[in-house]
Amino acid sequence: GENVEQHPSTLSVQEGDSAVIKCTYSDSASNYFPWYKQELGKGPQLIIDIRSNVGEKKDQRIAVTLNKTAKHFSLHITETQPEDSAVYFCAASMSFGNEKLTFGTGTRLTIIP
Amino acid sequence: DVKVTQSSRYLVKRTGEKVFLECVQDMDHENMFWYRQDPGLGLRLIYFSYDVKMKEKGDIPEGYSVSREKKERFSLILESASTNQTSMYLCASSLPGGDTEAFFGQGTRLTVV
């Protein structure tokens, strides 16, 4: 089955700096890669996703890149703000056939004011 | 506003008790999922259901069962609770397909004593 590894497990950055979280996956059949943000006391919420036919996707201060050959994808947050402090999870799945999302182990991001 | 509602935020149960965790979604989603969240292990899939009365084992089904008698409701059952089932439990729902957004409930923190 799919295995998703995520690094780092914790990350502290100064407010205004950039943060990068990296994930690798094992199953070359995976073609959908979402990122979820979990704030304290809440369930995870989708913030951005990317499909395998695209190499990069941006949404304001958030971007995701995908390298299918190397089987890794990354989340980039620019101009970090205190409200970016949360736990972030990457995940991988297939569009059809096996609809299970396999999650990484999570990254606790802390923005230092 | 879409919603996935878990019946309890906190539960304390005794070893050996039968425990029911309830989840209701109001989005008419076909897929529903139960995950377990533990520090350093991320989100691990226990069971999922892609239709009423249909279920499939996830990655860690041992010690758990599920019930889906109605489309909007998905129950997780711990037949005989044990201390190693102390954890945060998250329910989610989504439309069909492995590349659709999963909507999560706020979680149930279960402590087995």
Side-chain angles (χ1 to χ4, degrees):
Chain A
E2 175 67 278
N3 181 50
V4 177
E5 295 190 0
Q6 182 172 348
H7 299 280
S9 57
T10 60
L11 179 61
S12 295
V13 301
Q14 290 290 143
E15 183 178 351
D17 287 351
S18 296
V20 180
I21 303 170
K22 298 182 179 182
C23 290
T24 61
Y25 62 99
S26 61
D27 191 341
S28 56
S30 291
N31 59 2
Y32 176 66
F33 307 94
W35 287 87
Y36 284 79
K37 176 183 180 182
Q38 185 178 29
E39 297 175 340
L40 199 61
K42 297 184 179 180
Q45 190 167 13
L46 179 72
I47 55 171
I48 195 168
D49 58 15
I50 191 168
R51 289 171 172 77
S52 59
N53 58 346
V54 175
E56 183 174 357
K57 184 176 178 181
K58 278 186 87 169
D59 183 3
Q60 299 182 357
R61 297 186 297 109
I62 294 173
V64 58
T65 58
L66 171 65
N67 183 327
K68 281 219 73 174
T69 304
K71 291 200 215 129
H72 65 72
F73 56 112
S74 301
L75 178 70
H76 304 253
I77 306 174
T78 58
E79 301 171 13
T80 53
Q81 300 169 5
E83 54 264 37
D84 295 329
S85 292
V87 179
Y88 292 81
F89 292 97
C90 61
S93 72
M94 291 188 287
S95 297
F96 300 101
N98 184 354
E99 300 186 9
K100 298 189 301 181
L101 268 177
T102 300
F103 284 87
T105 50
T107 297
R108 181 173 297 280
L109 174 64
T110 302
I111 306 303
I112 305 164
Chain B
D1 194 21
V2 296
K3 233 175 176 175
V4 178
T5 304
Q6 295 183 230
S7 54
S8 305
R9 288 295 303 269
Y10 301 94
L11 272 180
V12 180
K13 296 291 181 181
R14 294 195 179 278
T15 301
E17 273 193 81
K18 190 169 185 175
V19 181
F20 293 85
L21 302 184
E22 307 286 346
C23 175
V24 177
Q25 51 97 0
D26 65 0
M27 295 166 281
D28 202 33
H29 284 168
E30 283 77 7
N31 292 349
M32 294 190 76
F33 307 85
W34 275 106
Y35 289 91
R36 173 177 169 160
Q37 181 176 7
D38 299 288
L41 297 178
L43 302 173
R44 293 180 293 165
L45 182 64
I46 305 171
Y47 267 97
F48 74 101
S49 168
Y50 51 89
D51 202 350
V52 175
K53 298 191 187 294
M54 306 303 287
K55 60 185 180 184
E56 284 202 26
K57 293 180 180 179
D59 300 316
I60 51 165
E62 297 78 18
Y64 304 94
S65 62
V66 290
S67 172
R68 192 165 181 204
E69 296 296 319
K70 293 185 177 181
K71 190 175 185 180
E72 67 270 19
R73 187 179 298 269
F74 193 34
S75 303
L76 180 69
I77 304 154
L78 286 67
E79 297 291 341
S80 177
S82 64
T83 54
N84 62 14
Q85 293 178 310
T86 291
S87 186
M88 171 69 82
Y89 291 87
L90 288 162
C91 175
S93 72
S94 73
L95 289 168
D99 59 351
T100 57
E101 180 177 358
F103 292 86
F104 283 84
Q106 60 191 12
T108 296
R109 182 162 295 283
L110 172 67
T111 302
V112 182
V113 298

